[in-house]
Amino acid sequence: MKIKFIVMATLTALASTVHAQSSVTVYGEVDAGVLYQSTSAASYNPTSTDKGSVLRLKDGGVYTSFLGFKGIEDLGDGWNTNFKLQGAFDTATGKFALGGTAGVVDLFNMVADVGLSGPYGSLNVGRQITPMMYAMMHTDVRQGEYFGSVFTSYVSINAAAGWPGTSTNAQLGAVFDDNAIVYTSPNFGGVTASLEYSPGGVAGDAVAGTRESAVLEYSNYGLKLAATYYNGHDTNPTPTSVPSGLDNNRFDYVGALYAINGFSVSASFGNGWSPAHPNTTNFDMISAGLGYRFSPMFEVTSGVYYEKDNNHSANKSTEFVVGANYNLAKKTTLYAEVGYVENKGAMNQSLEYAQPVAPGLNTTAMMLGIRKQF
């Protein structure tokens, strides 16, 4: 009887240990605010006309609202398996956001991947946020927010290059990639490297629809540096298009951010162009940012974002943004943001993501909102 008790106790302890080594977490955030914008357009189409001022409840003043599930299992000796499912939605309507196919709304439109990590780095496969986007966010004082940041600047050069706004497939670079295989190295003295390859899956053509990128980052002593390279074939395909393997999506970026004694300053340069059509698609984006954290709860950030069309000197744009975040609690933030953009020629740089402006129009926008993480 004593032996039976010991065996049962041992099995129970082992079962508890195994259970403790595996976990699944539900996480996400809800972000919404009131947005006023002095001009507006129906879409990112470069021929869109001004629809006048707009006052609305808008999702994503800091970042988009999303719901996610992630899990990790400890395999021992420093190795883990993991998965992540994450989908963005619109707080104002409850609808899920765009997916990788034009006009289609996907449930897990941000991330749907599974992977393995250990002493030699991590390898994840599936739909993922590109390493390029993390590098851009890390080297922007505004941290790639959805109101006036390196992210909205990046979206705007895509719009100028012809991005229709009907799917997440960009003209230049990518925020998300389907079929992605991403390796991230261990941290060596503050340096990490990420390599991405996305096979196109087109029968009879190993190049059509492929994506590849490389990112190198450094983070130490308050300094962050990033350099990225991205190349894609058959960018922004439509449901009826036939992939041809055309190399038409190149994006390069370098950025730096330095933080000391509450102050932070950043600068970056990005270039997006089509190797197949360089005379029609070639855009630069340049940024500078300055911020100050008054306390652990309160921070003010600002940025200037300049864009130009290298093929048409009349097409250029400059955006000025100031924002303040106040943390009511660890996972609750109130924010206020204001910005002004001067668009010239055919440029239509916008201040708030998914709130387009018509080309050539100067625009003012402001937003008050709340962000809740869970």
Side-chain angles (χ1 to χ4, degrees), residues 160-198:
W163 179 63
T166 55
S167 79
T168 59
N169 287 316
Q171 307 297 115
L172 304 168
V175 179
F176 312 99
D177 268 336
D178 288 339
N179 315 310
I181 304 169
V182 178
Y183 167 75
T184 301
S185 75
N187 188 313
F188 296 105
V191 177
T192 57
S194 297
L195 299 174
E196 175 198 6
Y197 176 69
S198 300

Side-chain angles (χ1 to χ4, degrees), residues 273-282 309-312:
W273 62 292
S274 168
H277 305 291
N279 294 327
T280 58
T281 304
N282 191 332
D309 183 344
N310 291 317
N311 291 315
H312 303 89

